[in-house]
């Protein structure tokens, strides 16, 4: 057995590598290099310095590892400039969502209506009467921006708005039942993404969780018994909508009207966490039906909480609607101040709610609804327009075809339902190395200037065109024509 004695041992540089290290320029020399000095004047010296330090550190490692040649000052300068460009690029990047998931949590949930975008932009640019009563010239309440709209749309007596629905649930629990028993069916101890777990939320809000019934079946008498057991400790009865799972088979749950009646008989309020927050019956548009806040309120709920940016299609917000008594208590709780939302949220929410109030062409004006109801022929036509753009992949070991698929609604809304859709499918021709080819392809698309995100499924990359927006089509065509992929 022979041994290559010229290889440096771990952590030990060969003579030539050590010598090469001494030929790397100093930080000061790099910063005085004319193109980098100019860049520092334009972008700020902190970024250029950091990029230069990072580049030098990488070069040292490379030299120690493979003893390669030392790049000249111009080459180092160019590498540093590229690093600065990456540092200066926005971190919150636009992406092209071809997962087909309309309300994609990781890609920012709801897209907003033009009216909402304009309203938020206007509120950013100038002063607005956020908490100012223009009639009396006195201080107002920011919830009033959307109050009347939500009262009209849901039939509630009062409303209050916080940053997101998780905040709305915590606030409702803390305000109505801190240090008290909160009763909820075992089948509704939900965990939704990002570690929102009902038992932990209750603990955080200072409530004592009382599990009622069983995982698959909970009956009115279970609540009666549990409330009788809690006695004076009973603070609240809660129902949480199964947003991201389903319990099927031998099941039973107690409806809103019965639960509200039982709660009230024992002198405690009843709160419903709806999550998704559809404000209209989606079955009108051929979509699965979701429970509506107005239905829970009509059935006797004291408070209903829901998100502004799931099925409602507005900005992220937590909306609490309910009786005057319950909402007044909630608004007085110190957490309300801590969780209150900004003028951006209120401006966009007001504009979105006005679209609902107009009841006019909702499925054209609300992008979430437009994408969820996008006609099959329209999706297929988008696939057909895309297919030629991907023609080059057909020559590079991929089959490129259009196929039917099923889009998810997303964000826990309607977890079981899928919407019939169509995708451009890129499938490796050779079985051998197919996994790696798919990984490489997905990664290439994700590293385009405007990244494209698809879905790997059944040994192929699926680009579901339900969520392909008009502006994305243009960008995609430009990117692929430029040979980026
Ligand atoms: C989504 C959801 C939440 C959390 O809402 P965020 O707006 O994400 O804070 C809470 N409960 C249910 C049932 C949900 O579906």
């Amino acid at each position: 057995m022979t041994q290559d004695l010229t290889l440096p041992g771990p952590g030990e540089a060969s003579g030539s590598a050590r010598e090469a290290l001494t030929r790397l320029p100093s930080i000061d020399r790099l910063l005085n290099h004319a193109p980098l000095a100019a860049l520092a004047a334009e972008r700020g010296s902190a970024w250029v310095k950091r990029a230069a330090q990072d580049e030098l550190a990488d070069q040292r490692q490379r030299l120690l590892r493979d003893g390669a040649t030392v790049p000249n000052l111009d080459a180092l300068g160019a590498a540093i400039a590229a690093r600065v460009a990456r540092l200066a690029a926005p971190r919150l990047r636009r992406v092209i969502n071809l997962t087909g998931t309309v309300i994609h949590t990781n890609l920012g949930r709801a897209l907003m209506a033009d009216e909402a975008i304009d309203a938020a932009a206007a509120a950013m640019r100038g002063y607005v009467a956020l908490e100012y009563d223009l009639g009396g010239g006195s201080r107002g309440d920011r919830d009033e921006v959307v109050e009347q709209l939500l009262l009209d749309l849901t039939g509630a007596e009062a409303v209050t708005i916080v940053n997101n629905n998780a905040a709305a649930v915590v606030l409702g629990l803390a305000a109505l039942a801190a240090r008290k028993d909160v009763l909820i069916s075992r089948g509704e101890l939900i965990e939704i993404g990002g570690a929102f777990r009902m038992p932990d939320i209750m603990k955080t809000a200072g409530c004592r969780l009382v599990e009622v019934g069983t995982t698959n079946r909970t009956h009115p008498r279970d609540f009666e018994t549990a409330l009788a057991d809690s006695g004076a400790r009973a603070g609240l009865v809660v129902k949480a909508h199964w947003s991201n799972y389903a319990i099927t088979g031998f099941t039973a749950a107690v409806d809103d009207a019965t639960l509200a009646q039982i709660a009230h008989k024992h002198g405690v309020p009843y709160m419903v966490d709806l999550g998704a927050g559809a404000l209209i019956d989606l079955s009108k548009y051929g979509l699965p039906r979701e429970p509506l806040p107005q239905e829970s309120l009509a059935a006797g709920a004291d408070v209903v909480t829901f998100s502004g940016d799931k099925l409602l299609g507005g900005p992220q917000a937590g909306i609490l609607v309910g009786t005057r008594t319950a909402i007044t208590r909630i608004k007085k709780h110190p957490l309300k101040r801590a969780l209150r939302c900004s003028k951006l949220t209120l401006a966009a929410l007001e504009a979105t709610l006005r679209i609902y109030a107009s009841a006019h062409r909702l499925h054209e004006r609300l992008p979430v609804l437009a994408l969820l109801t996008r006609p099959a022929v329209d999706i297929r036509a988008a696939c057909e327009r895309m297919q030629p753009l991907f023609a080059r992949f057909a020559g590079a070991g991929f089959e490129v075809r259009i196929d039917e698929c099923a889009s998810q609604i997303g964000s826990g809304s309607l977890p079981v339902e899928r919407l019939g859709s169509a995708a451009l499918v890129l499938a490796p021709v050779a079985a051998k190395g197919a996994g790696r080819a798919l990984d490489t392809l997905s990664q290439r698309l994700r590293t385009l200037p405007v990244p494209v995100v698809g879905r790997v499924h059944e040994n192929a990359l699926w680009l579901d065109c339900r969520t392909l927006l008009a502006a994305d089509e243009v960008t995609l065509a430009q990117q692929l024509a430029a040979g980026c992929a």
Side-chain angles (χ1 to χ4, degrees), residues 417-442:
E417 327 288 344
R418 293 284 186 282
L419 306 173
S421 188
L424 196 67
V425 185
L426 302 174
V429 176
K432 190 157 172 281
R436 186 131 42 84
L438 268 181
D439 284 349
T440 309
L441 174 67
S442 312

Side-chain angles (χ1 to χ4, degrees), residues 109 164-167 169 190 192 196 240-243 273-276 307-310 316-317 411-412:
R109 286 207 332 210
N164 52 52
N165 187 45
V169 176
I190 58 170
I192 57 173
F196 176 97
H241 182 49
W242 303 335
S243 56
D273 172 21
L274 275 188
S307 296
D309 67 336
K310 288 183 181 172
Q316 181 165 48
S411 205

Side-chain angles (χ1 to χ4, degrees), residues 373-384:
T373 58
R374 192 166 182 179
V377 286
D378 193 20
I379 301 174
R380 187 159 272 272
C383 289
E384 281 161 8

Side-chain angles (χ1 to χ4, degrees), residues 315-457:
Q316 181 165 48
I319 302 170
L320 298 105
V321 293
T323 61
R324 194 174 319 284
T325 312
I327 297 293
T328 302
R329 255 169 90 184
I330 289 169
K331 287 180 75 142
K332 279 191 188 141
H333 194 278
L335 268 182
K336 159 63 189 176
R337 172 62 184 81
L339 301 172
R340 78 175 186 193
C341 56
S342 79
K343 63 178 180 177
L344 300 191
T345 304
L346 286 166
L349 184 60
E350 182 192 8
T352 307
L353 294 173
R354 284 200 187 284
I355 295 177
Y356 281 98
S358 80
H360 180 56
R361 295 190 299 116
L362 300 190
H363 64 296
E364 289 166 34
R365 296 162 76 196
L366 295 163
V368 165
L369 203 50
L371 293 174
L372 289 175
T373 58
R374 192 166 182 179
V377 286
D378 193 20
I379 301 174
R380 187 159 272 272
C383 289
E384 281 161 8
R385 287 193 300 274
M386 291 251 290
Q387 195 168 22
L389 302 177
F390 285 85
R392 77 183 61 187
F393 292 94
F398 286 91
E399 180 205 0
V400 182
R401 64 171 201 272
I402 295 171
D403 210 340
E404 284 175 1
C405 67
S407 325
Q408 261 186 302
I409 292 172
S411 205
S413 312
L414 307 159
V416 190
E417 327 288 344
R418 293 284 186 282
L419 306 173
S421 188
L424 196 67
V425 185
L426 302 174
V429 176
K432 190 157 172 281
R436 186 131 42 84
L438 268 181
D439 284 349
T440 309
L441 174 67
S442 312
Q443 206 231 341
R444 285 260 182 97
L445 292 177
R446 282 199 313 270
T447 50
L448 286 169
V450 181
V452 174
V453 184
R455 203 155 39 94
V456 173
H457 170 64

